[in-house]
């Protein structure tokens, strides 16, 4: 089959231009994410994400460590954006998300990165931590389309996304791949400084699923449209993994889910007693058992236990 991303028609019909204009207004008193910092990002970097309007990229490559249906034969074209709109004390990529490792580039440079990854044969453009970079991504997209971009866009976020911004991404994003980190409000505040994270994540996943539906995979085993969800198992069930998985099952029993086991005590994790160690095989097996008990059968296979 030959899948044509809907962002092509949005561009041709002039809708993408209107979306870019709307998001541009949104960053002048930034309301892009649920923090609603109200910072003019065209002039300052004082918001939660410490970012202006231009893209800040840490790295990009054909990645073979992502979900199996994204990697395929030639890899997922990952673009790692610097900074984040969450403050997770256990961040596994803290040098990028917290310490600001990366370089500000032009919109044309970002478009060229997308085109170069496509030229390498990557099956998709995997936008890692894109929430605060939505304006930069959409500004670069028309340039990339004019250059021949034709592969799916993956929105690989922390799950802390605003419904208003997601509405503006409807038809732009082919595959949504949010994290669902935790279901406890107190834990969310303690670990990510986002007390309302569970409610925000639930609403975000509902909207994402409404837009793209369950994950669709072609006859090569490559995903091209739909929702896939990640959940990182944390020690002592501090993430309320059972409740997270139950919500995902209620969203759709056909949800493609990656139950991740690679947690390690990184960054400031040792400030929390429960996060001072890796998870055990028993803890991971319990999470897998929950997916089975609630009827979720589409589990990513690109995982192995590293506790």
């Amino acid at each position: 089959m030959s899948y044509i991303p809907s962002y092509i028609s949005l561009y041709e019909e002039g809708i993408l231009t209107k979306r870019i204009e709307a998001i541009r207004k949104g960053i002048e008193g930034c309301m892009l994410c649920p923090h609603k910092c109200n910072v003019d990002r065209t002039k300052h970097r004082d918001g939660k994400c410490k970012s202006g309007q231009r893209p800040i990229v840490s790295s990009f490559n054909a990645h073979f460590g992502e979900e199996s249906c994204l990697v395929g034969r030639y890899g997922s074209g990952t673009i790692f954006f610097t900074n984040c709109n969450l403050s997770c004390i256990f961040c596994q990529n803290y040098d990028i998300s917290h310490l600001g490792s990366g370089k500000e580039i032009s919109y044309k440079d970002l478009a060229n990165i997308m085109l170069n990854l496509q030229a390498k044969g990557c099956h998709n453009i995997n936008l890692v931590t894109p929430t605060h970079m939505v304006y930069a991504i959409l500004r670069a997209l028309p340039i990339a389309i004019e250059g021949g971009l034709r592969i799916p866009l993956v929105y690989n976020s922390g799950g802390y996304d605003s419904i208003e911004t997601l509405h503006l991404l409807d038809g732009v994003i082919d595959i949504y791949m949010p994290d669902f980190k935790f279901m406890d409000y107190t834990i969310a505040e303690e670990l990510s400084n986002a007390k309302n994270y569970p409610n925000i994540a639930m609403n975000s996943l509902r909207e994402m699923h409404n837009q793209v539906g369950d994950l669709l995979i072609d006859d090569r085993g490559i995903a091209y449209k739909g929702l896939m969800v990640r959940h990182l198992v944390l020690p002592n069930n501090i993430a309320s993994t059972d409740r997270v998985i139950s919500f995902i099952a209620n969203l759709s029993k056909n949800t493609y889910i990656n139950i991740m086991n690679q947690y390690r005590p990184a960054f400031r994790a040792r400030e929390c007693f429960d996060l001072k160690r890796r998870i055990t095989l028993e803890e991971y097996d319990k999470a897998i058992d929950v997916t089975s008990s609630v009827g979720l059968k589409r589990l990513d296979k690109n995982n192995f236990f590293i506790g």
Side-chain angles (χ1 to χ4, degrees):
M1 63 166 293
S2 180
Y3 172 71
I4 301 176
S6 55
Y7 61 73
I8 303 293
S9 60
L10 290 185
Y11 170 72
E12 293 173 344
E13 295 166 11
I15 297 173
L16 184 57
T17 299
K18 294 179 180 178
R19 301 277 184 88
I20 294 169
E21 292 171 354
I23 291 179
R24 162 74 183 197
K25 292 178 181 177
I27 66 168
E28 289 176 357
C30 194
M31 306 289 279
L32 280 190
C33 91
H35 285 299
K36 300 186 184 301
C37 295
N38 201 31
V39 170
D40 186 349
R41 287 177 53 193
T42 66
K43 299 177 181 178
H44 308 289
R45 293 187 177 186
D46 299 331
K48 189 80 172 179
C49 67
K50 303 174 185 175
S51 304
Q53 61 181 322
R54 289 160 63 94
I56 311 174
V57 173
S58 174
S59 65
F60 57 93
N61 54 60
H63 200 338
F64 292 87
E66 298 288 85
E67 282 72 4
S68 54
C69 61
L70 295 181
V71 169
R73 182 176 180 181
Y74 299 108
S76 178
T78 51
I79 303 175
F80 288 86
F81 291 104
T82 300
N83 300 329
C84 185
N85 70 327
L86 287 170
S87 303
C88 301
I89 67 171
F90 59 91
C91 182
Q92 308 291 281
N93 295 311
Y94 65 91
D95 56 327
I96 300 171
S97 297
H98 291 274
L99 303 184
S101 174
K103 178 182 178 182
E104 184 174 278
I105 62 175
S106 69
Y107 305 116
K108 184 176 181 179
D109 287 339
L110 179 56
N112 285 335
I113 289 172
M114 296 180 189
L115 292 171
N116 288 337
L117 290 170
Q118 178 177 262
K120 289 182 177 180
C122 292
H123 303 287
N124 46 70
I125 300 298
N126 189 341
L127 305 162
V128 184
T129 320
T131 302
H132 60 301
M133 286 286 139
V134 166
Y135 176 68
I137 293 165
L138 264 65
R139 270 293 303 271
L141 188 55
I143 305 171
I145 293 170
E146 291 167 4
L149 188 70
R150 293 294 185 274
I151 56 178
L153 297 182
V154 181
Y155 189 86
N156 183 348
S157 83
Y160 198 65
D161 296 283
S162 79
I163 298 301
E164 294 80 10
T165 299
L166 291 175
H167 285 164
L168 293 171
L169 292 174
D170 191 1
V172 177
I173 300 301
D174 302 281
I175 299 171
Y176 282 107
M177 186 168 63
D179 292 333
F180 198 132
K181 295 180 181 294
F182 15 64
M183 190 63 90
D184 184 280
Y185 290 84
T186 301
I187 293 299
E189 182 174 29
E190 177 184 349
L191 301 187
S192 292
N193 196 25
K195 184 177 181 179
N196 57 347
Y197 178 91
N199 188 57
I200 293 294
M202 286 188 286
N203 288 336
S204 294
L205 265 66
R206 290 188 188 103
E207 174 60 25
M208 292 173 182
H209 188 262
N210 285 341
Q211 288 185 21
V212 297
D214 294 325
L215 191 69
L216 301 176
I217 298 176
D218 66 19
D219 54 9
R220 301 170 300 164
I222 305 298
Y224 60 93
K225 185 176 181 179
L227 173 70
M228 51 198 303
V229 183
R230 287 174 164 177
H231 175 68
L232 179 66
V233 179
L234 296 178
N236 300 314
N237 197 31
I238 195 172
S240 300
T241 292
D242 49 339
R243 294 165 60 195
V244 169
I245 293 173
S246 293
F247 167 79
I248 293 168
N250 287 331
L251 186 67
S252 171
K253 291 288 197 299
N254 202 35
T255 301
Y256 190 104
I257 185 169
N258 184 0
I259 304 297
M260 300 187 295
N261 54 44
Q262 60 263 47
Y263 171 76
R264 69 188 192 285
F267 195 39
R268 295 165 43 215
R270 287 179 172 80
E271 295 176 13
C272 174
F273 176 80
D274 288 313
L275 295 179
K276 291 183 178 181
R277 61 170 175 82
R278 291 181 180 269
I279 65 168
T280 65
L281 178 58
E282 181 182 11
E283 287 172 321
Y284 185 68
D285 284 346
K286 282 183 178 179
I288 297 300
D289 288 344
V290 173
T291 62
S292 177
S293 69
V294 298
L296 288 172
K297 298 179 180 179
R298 300 182 74 190
L299 273 65
D300 188 72
K301 306 300 183 183
N302 204 20
N303 242 335
F304 55 91
F305 187 73
I306 56 174

